[in-house]
Amino acid sequence: AQKVTQAQTEISVVEKEDVTLDCVYETRDTTYYLFWYKQPPSGELVFLIRRNSFDEQNEISGRYSWNFQKSTSSFNFTITASQVVDSAVYFCALSEARLFSGGYNKLIFGAGTRLAVHP
Amino acid sequence: GAVVSQHPSRVICKSGTSVKIECRSLDFQATTMFWYRQFPKQSLMLMATSNEGSKATYEQGVEKDKFLINHASLTLSTLTVTSAHPEDSSFYICSAQLASFTDTQYFGPGTRLTVL
């Protein structure tokens, strides 16, 4: 069965600290996609990144970076020099790239990690 | 690009009334739209998936007659909570997916429903 585990329920850091959010997934498929979404207090989920299972190259986008390691089934997210505006709940999600009826994919979400960045 | 809107953002209604929530993809055509429910401090729970012009597919445990979904066009899906009760109070979020089944889901801002 597919599963996404975000073991860190809440993380609290002081501004400018680096913080890593862990994500471990389980799937039997060889083709799949991994995502990170941010949910600020306003409630809207903001798409951050999508990675397919064949692309293990790490990615950096400004202060954000992602480390994808198939060997450990992990897709960790690091925020460098955190800021108060980074305070949010971050969700890791997994989808499978195969045809269900109607041709859609289902997202399986982790429980989320609540990040609080203090001034 | 890939903007999804929801209306209303917040609704308060009396027990027994029905509430309709709209989800629109503003700058793209969405072959598939999804409806999620989120309880406070919890993750998202998929309720149903809808494809334009066909019946929605509901997840196990979700009452079809309670949560009516209509996907009338490639840019609009609606969720109607019929005969709402206080236990239906929740945060409802929709998402839309571009043409390919491997595409990313983009989420709307959510609708907070409070049933008195």
Side-chain angles (χ1 to χ4, degrees), chain A residues 4-38:
Chain A
V4 176
T5 302
Q6 293 180 257
Q8 304 150 307
T9 306
E10 294 189 24
I11 300 176
S12 181
V13 300
V14 177
E15 229 178 355
K16 298 184 182 178
E17 283 185 29
D18 299 345
V19 58
T20 296
L21 282 61
D22 298 332
C23 173
V24 175
Y25 62 92
E26 295 176 30
T27 180
R28 289 171 292 187
D29 288 336
T30 56
T31 302
Y32 51 89
Y33 292 84
L34 294 163
F35 302 80
W36 276 95
Y37 287 90
K38 173 183 179 180

Side-chain angles (χ1 to χ4, degrees), chain A residues 4-110:
Chain A
V4 176
T5 302
Q6 293 180 257
Q8 304 150 307
T9 306
E10 294 189 24
I11 300 176
S12 181
V13 300
V14 177
E15 229 178 355
K16 298 184 182 178
E17 283 185 29
D18 299 345
V19 58
T20 296
L21 282 61
D22 298 332
C23 173
V24 175
Y25 62 92
E26 295 176 30
T27 180
R28 289 171 292 187
D29 288 336
T30 56
T31 302
Y32 51 89
Y33 292 84
L34 294 163
F35 302 80
W36 276 95
Y37 287 90
K38 173 183 179 180
Q39 187 176 38
S42 60
E44 180 173 1
L45 266 80
V46 178
F47 166 72
L48 296 178
I49 191 171
R50 167 186 136 128
R51 174 67 72 212
N52 75 57
S53 53
F54 297 108
D55 182 3
E56 285 193 73
Q57 195 169 7
N58 292 331
E59 181 153 340
I60 298 174
S61 176
R63 295 185 297 107
Y64 295 170
S65 63
W66 291 269
N67 184 333
F68 177 29
Q69 292 195 350
K70 286 179 76 171
S71 60
T72 56
S73 298
S74 64
F75 186 42
N76 296 337
F77 173 32
T78 297
I79 302 174
T80 303
S82 59
Q83 300 176 1
V84 173
V85 293
D86 296 327
S87 298
V89 179
Y90 291 86
F91 290 99
C92 179
L94 164 73
S95 76
E96 296 171 337
R98 61 180 165 183
L99 283 169
F100 291 90
S101 60
Y104 64 88
N105 59 349
K106 289 173 65 169
L107 279 179
I108 298 154
F109 282 90

Side-chain angles (χ1 to χ4, degrees), chain A residues 33 35 37 39 42-45 47 50 91 97-99 101-107 109-111 114, chain B residues 32 34 36 38 41-44 46 49 51 57 59 91 93 97 101-109:
Chain A
Y33 292 84
F35 302 80
Y37 287 90
Q39 187 176 38
S42 60
E44 180 173 1
L45 266 80
F47 166 72
R50 167 186 136 128
F91 290 99
R98 61 180 165 183
L99 283 169
S101 60
Y104 64 88
N105 59 349
K106 289 173 65 169
L107 279 179
F109 282 90
R114 184 175 300 274
Chain B
T32 306
F34 304 81
Y36 295 83
Q38 186 180 31
K41 297 194 174 184
Q42 292 190 24
S43 189
L44 282 76
L46 179 65
T49 303
N51 289 295
T57 302
E59 295 299 299
F91 191 55
I93 311 174
Q97 182 182 316
F101 73 98
T102 61
D103 281 325
T104 298
Q105 289 184 33
Y106 294 93
F107 286 80

Side-chain angles (χ1 to χ4, degrees), chain B residues 18-49:
Chain B
S18 294
V19 174
K20 180 185 282 189
I21 303 170
E22 290 187 351
C23 176
R24 293 181 186 272
S25 55
L26 298 184
D27 52 359
F28 67 99
Q29 292 188 326
T31 53
T32 306
M33 287 185 169
F34 304 81
W35 287 95
Y36 295 83
R37 185 172 180 176
Q38 186 180 31
F39 291 104
K41 297 194 174 184
Q42 292 190 24
S43 189
L44 282 76
M45 180 190 80
L46 179 65
M47 299 174 65
T49 303

